[in-house]
Amino acid sequence: MTTATEAPRIYPALRYRNAAKMIDWLCDAFGFEVRARYGEGDIVHHAELTFGSSMIMLGTARDDDYGKMFGEPGGGGGKSIYIAVGDADAAFAKAKKAGAQIIQELVDRDYGSREFICLDPEGNVWSFGTYWPKASEKA
């Protein structure tokens, strides 16, 4: 049984062609903070970026066994990360200022969320909205 104070169990993992550059961009554009970064020079073997109590993991795309399972960065479809924020307008302004490609402008959803969708420089889809479900609460 899980509790409300339990650490998250799901950590999205991303691979980037230029992970070193993307770490800086994600911090600037979306407000992530670097928790850990391992590698040499521009090669990032593993990094952890936090956003509040949540975290993503990322690294440089490599031609190893995991890289072959994971696939090439960008394109391919079927993947997106949603981030719950307190102020979608502020998140939108920050992302746009950093050069995020906005693919859906700010919109108010019928279920009460205010949100937008954008692409990072390597083509990953990011959605930000005020809809903030809690695992410890009933839907």
Side-chain angles (χ1 to χ4, degrees):
M1 162 106 8
T2 61
T3 66
T5 57
E6 180 180 76
R9 292 175 182 251
I10 299 173
Y11 300 90
L14 302 168
R15 288 290 178 259
Y16 286 102
R17 288 177 192 86
N18 189 338
K21 180 178 176 182
M22 288 305 304
I23 288 170
D24 293 338
W25 192 88
L26 290 166
C27 291
D28 183 48
F30 298 158
F32 280 98
E33 294 181 7
V34 177
R35 179 179 181 275
R37 179 179 170 166
Y38 307 98
E40 300 169 16
D42 287 340
I43 303 299
V44 178
H45 298 296
H46 175 81
E48 298 169 358
L49 305 183
T50 60
F51 189 92
S53 62
S54 299
M55 187 181 326
I56 62 171
M57 297 185 289
L58 63 94
T60 302
R62 298 185 298 271
D63 188 24
D64 58 12
D65 288 342
Y66 183 68
K68 289 174 185 162
M69 287 184 277
F70 200 94
E72 288 294 316
K79 53 191 178 282
S80 172
I81 296 178
Y82 176 85
I83 297 181
V85 295
D87 185 344
D89 291 83
F92 177 82
K94 185 173 186 149
K96 193 168 185 174
K97 181 179 178 187
Q101 181 184 344
I102 306 300
I103 56 177
Q104 184 175 71
E105 296 283 332
L106 280 164
V107 63
D108 294 314
R109 302 284 187 205
D110 58 0
Y111 49 88
S113 185
R114 181 159 177 77
E115 53 196 46
F116 70 96
I117 304 172
C118 63
L119 297 175
D120 69 28
E122 291 203 18
N124 291 302
V125 177
W126 296 82
S127 301
F128 292 81
T130 56
Y131 176 66
W132 197 334
K134 311 294 188 294
S136 61
E137 297 174 0
K138 293 205 181 272

